[in-house]
Amino acid sequence: FNLKDISTDGGSYDDDYGPDQLFKDGAICYCSVNLHNVNVTARIEREEEILVKRLIAKTPGSSYTSPVKNGLLFISETPIDILSTAVYNNFTRSKFETLSGESPFE
């Protein structure tokens, strides 16, 4: 599928390390100005429904200052306001379990 309208509240170190790098499999990765709690939104351009079975997050290695440690994925048929995702900053497994009432890790 094709991703469009990729935006982030984390800023970008420079154009070569922009948020579009998040969805590419290569040696260059996204580098934000913020060192934590970076929220990203993207729109999938599609003709048909899709099924997301898994998400693989790769870290770039030891040469970067803040590799991904945790992530949450939200899927919606309507656009998600990036500012509304800030409520999930510093989210932990226990906070998720308290909110949902169940553990997704069992």
Side-chain angles (χ1 to χ4, degrees):
F1 49 85
N2 197 5
L3 292 171
K4 299 287 184 186
D5 303 328
I6 300 169
S7 64
T8 176
D9 63 356
S12 182
Y13 180 71
D14 70 32
D15 291 341
D16 292 335
Y17 298 92
D20 59 311
Q21 296 298 330
L22 284 164
F23 304 102
K24 294 180 181 176
D25 189 13
I28 298 174
C29 68
Y30 167 57
C31 292
S32 68
V33 176
N34 292 352
L35 297 179
H36 66 283
N37 293 328
V38 175
N39 301 295
V40 178
T41 62
R43 180 175 56 86
I44 297 174
E45 193 170 82
R46 61 181 169 78
E47 299 276 331
E48 303 173 349
E49 291 182 0
I50 63 167
L51 172 64
V52 177
K53 291 185 176 183
R54 74 179 158 173
L55 175 69
I56 299 172
K58 295 181 178 183
T59 60
S62 61
S63 61
Y64 292 85
T65 56
S66 296
V68 172
K69 294 179 186 172
N70 300 299
L72 293 171
L73 174 66
F74 300 93
I75 299 174
S76 173
E77 291 190 9
T78 59
I80 297 173
D81 175 21
I82 198 164
L83 296 177
S84 70
T85 63
V87 68
Y88 298 101
N89 288 351
N90 299 313
F91 221 60
T92 63
R93 177 180 175 167
S94 67
K95 286 181 183 178
F96 177 84
E97 290 170 355
T98 300
L99 180 67
S100 70
E102 60 184 61
S103 174
F105 306 101
E106 296 176 358

